[in-house]
Amino acid sequence: MELTPPPVRYTKASDVQLAYQIVGDGPRDLVFHPGFPSHIELQWEHPAVARFYQRLATFSRLILFDRRGTGLSERGLDMHGFDDRMDDILAVLDAVGSERCGHIGVAMGGRLALLFAAVNPERTTAVATIAGHPATFRIEPDYPWGTTQEDLDHLIEGVLEGWGGVGSIQHLLAVAAPSVADDPFTRDWWVRVVRSAMSPREAAEEIRALAGVDIRDVLPNIPVPTLILHRTGDRMSDIRAGRYMAERIPGARFVELAGEDDFPYFGDQDAILDELEEFFTGIRPTPRSDRVLASILFTDIVGSTERVAGSGDRRWRDLLEAHRALVRRELSRFNGREVDTSGDGFLATFDSPARAVRCAVAAAQAVHDMGMDIRAGVHTGEVEMVADRVEGIAVHTGARIAALAGPQEVLVSRTVKDLVAGSGLSFEDAGAHVLKGVPGEWRIYRVVSW
């Protein structure tokens, strides 16, 4: 799993600057239409969101973008209806060189994806919606799941008055993602996303622009394969609205899933991802991973940029190879499994936390003896073994702990310290830390003897 977001790129639709990202290089293009609001850079700070996108990118070239007026795309605009947004999608597709692609839309983004498929079938292979908002926001005699104009005006008034308030933002999270609403990290992350994505006026304009659009007459004219996914207990989107859409789109498949979260990243995201993978690839994914308890070691060279500048590229390559040989020797000695070697660092797993710590100390000493220093972090937790990779929050935790270490320093989590009691290893308290992207506060310890 990526620990940093992919690069943000820009293109233009008329004179409007649009921000987008590309993830993966799979055999088919998929465009992801976010809900409301969105911020393509800050969303990567949450491990669950990053995992969701990385899973999609295992079978696609995933294209992410912020709609006009939100996130990193151009702001301060007079919002209009869906027509401008169709032009925006085409501009992003042209910028990435995509002739035809699949579309995944969440909530309000689902309406955009369906409309795009109807008006641009030659550019669309298939479309899937998750927690699709109603086909119209208005209550009609044959459509009781909308809202009245009075309620819509009240909603917009509330947005203008309370959009930036922590209480109102957290209330939105409690409705949209009740399974994580009490998690302090997720609450803080969500507040940052909402405040960074839109101002109160921009949010009100977005609601005004899109709420009046009625796509009911469009539904019978969607000529591409369509999948409608909806969680049974979704508190934001009435499941009957999802059934309504599926009944009116020719050949559409409706899948009802357990859960209450409107946001697909939270709750059982694998159930949603399995359906999406089968729909877009035609193959039902086999169980993708085994969850096991593992000790995770991260290392990297301290001051590598300065060393490259000081020694030159060729000398640096020689030093890097020597460093890798030494670390691999210690991994073999302590029965570690090399998982990834990217740049000047290692990710390895062990079946014993004590062996992981001893390997880290031995590797740091061996590399120091050749005139270089590495830093290392060790954490033990449950990981997902996916082919030759490891994934999960424990991997993020190990990476963040390693990033705190100084030259020739090995830091470990309290979990590791407690598990190796009686092994002869000794530690000193390195304080409590908040690890970016990892919920809660973590007590970290420094290895002092082994």
Side-chain angles (χ1 to χ4, degrees):
M1 180 182 296
E2 292 185 6
L3 300 178
T4 56
V8 175
R9 307 174 187 181
Y10 281 88
T11 190
K12 277 188 177 182
S14 300
D15 291 328
V16 177
Q17 293 277 354
L18 302 169
Y20 68 92
Q21 294 172 321
I22 299 174
V23 191
D25 57 359
R28 62 189 57 80
D29 287 346
L30 290 180
V31 178
F32 189 86
H33 301 263
F36 168 78
S38 74
H39 194 295
I40 57 173
E41 193 164 52
L42 289 182
Q43 61 192 0
W44 287 91
E45 292 185 1
H46 201 293
V49 179
R51 179 182 181 274
F52 187 88
Y53 289 143
Q54 286 293 334
R55 168 77 185 274
L56 290 176
T58 62
F59 59 88
S60 74
R61 183 176 69 142
L62 181 64
I63 302 160
L64 308 173
F65 74 104
D66 282 331
R67 290 190 294 271
R68 60 173 59 203
T70 187
L72 296 179
S73 288
E74 191 162 352
R75 308 274 289 273
L77 303 169
D78 291 329
M79 294 291 106
H80 302 289
F82 277 14
D83 288 347
D84 288 332
R85 282 145 174 95
M86 297 299 103
D87 291 341
D88 294 349
I89 297 166
L90 287 171
V92 172
L93 293 182
D94 291 342
V96 303
S98 180
E99 292 296 325
R100 298 187 74 220
C101 63
H103 294 261
I104 301 172
V106 176
M108 191 177 292
R111 302 171 79 203
L112 286 169
L114 291 169
L115 184 57
F116 185 89
V119 299
N120 297 281
E122 75 285 355
R123 302 291 297 267
T124 308
T125 58
V127 61
T129 73
I130 307 168
H133 272 206
T136 176
F137 273 79
R138 310 288 186 184
I139 288 181
E140 302 289 350
D142 62 340
Y143 196 88
W145 309 297
T147 185
T148 65
Q149 185 62 50
E150 181 181 1
D151 287 342
L152 183 61
D153 291 341
H154 181 70
L155 171 63
I156 292 173
E157 181 182 350
V159 167
L160 287 169
E161 293 179 354
W163 181 255
V166 172
S168 62
I169 295 173
Q170 291 182 348
H171 173 72
L172 176 60
L173 180 67
V175 177
S179 72
V180 293
D182 293 330
D183 174 49
F185 169 77
T186 301
R187 288 203 306 265
D188 292 345
W189 166 81
W190 178 239
V191 168
R192 290 197 309 277
V193 168
V194 170
R195 285 179 171 171
S196 300
M198 291 180 131
S199 70
R201 186 184 72 81
E202 289 167 335
E205 287 297 314
E206 175 92 343
I207 295 172
R208 284 195 187 100
L210 301 182
V213 178
D214 186 340
I215 67 166
R216 286 180 296 168
D217 290 341
V218 172
L219 299 178
N221 300 307
I222 296 173
V224 300
T226 304
L227 173 67
I228 309 292
L229 298 175
H230 212 118
R231 283 172 169 158
T232 305
D234 191 322
R235 301 180 187 182
M236 289 194 70
S237 303
D238 195 309
I239 194 168
R240 293 172 295 179
R243 295 192 187 110
Y244 176 95
M245 290 197 298
E247 289 167 0
R248 284 156 180 80
I249 299 172
R253 180 170 174 244
F254 181 77
V255 177
E256 183 174 329
L257 300 169
E260 296 182 309
D261 295 309
D262 189 80
F263 294 163
Y265 325 107
F266 306 120
D268 184 6
Q269 63 169 245
D270 283 328
I272 289 176
L273 289 162
D274 287 348
E275 294 291 343
L276 291 173
E277 184 169 353
E278 180 180 18
F279 176 65
F280 285 108
T281 69
I283 301 173
R284 184 71 178 180
T286 57
R288 301 182 60 86
S289 64
D290 294 318
R291 298 188 68 86
V292 299
L293 188 68
S295 295
I296 301 148
L297 166 64
F298 274 91
T299 73
D300 73 332
I301 297 173
V302 178
S304 57
T305 302
E306 293 80 3
R307 292 193 68 94
V308 174
S311 60
D313 289 341
R314 181 163 185 171
R315 172 60 178 156
W316 170 248
R317 286 196 299 270
D318 292 342
L319 289 171
L320 189 59
E321 287 305 316
H323 145 264
R324 288 173 177 166
L326 289 174
V327 174
R328 286 175 175 139
R329 182 190 71 189
E330 300 304 330
L331 287 174
S332 176
R333 178 184 170 198
F334 290 99
N335 200 30
R337 183 175 79 90
E338 180 181 334
V339 176
D340 187 33
T341 307
S342 57
D344 55 13
F346 276 82
L347 163 59
T349 60
F350 297 77
D351 58 6
S352 159
R355 278 198 286 269
V357 173
R358 290 191 169 95
C359 179
V361 176
Q365 183 60 57
V367 172
H368 179 74
D369 291 343
M370 61 169 282
M372 301 173 66
D373 282 320
I374 62 172
R375 60 168 62 90
V378 180
H379 176 59
T380 298
E382 192 176 55
V383 300
E384 295 181 23
M385 308 297 294
V386 183
D388 294 328
R389 308 188 312 276
V390 291
E391 297 180 354
I393 191 66
V395 179
H396 280 278
T397 305
R400 301 307 185 206
I401 292 172
L404 297 173
Q408 210 181 353
E409 189 172 53
V410 178
L411 297 181
V412 306
S413 64
R414 181 170 182 171
T415 305
V416 172
K417 173 182 173 292
D418 291 345
L419 286 172
V420 300
S423 66
L425 294 165
S426 60
F427 307 87
E428 63 182 20
D429 194 338
H433 298 265
V434 174
L435 307 178
K436 183 179 178 181
V438 182
E441 190 175 69
W442 289 74
R443 180 67 61 177
I444 305 300
Y445 295 86
R446 182 179 298 107
V447 180
V448 293
S449 69
W450 63 296

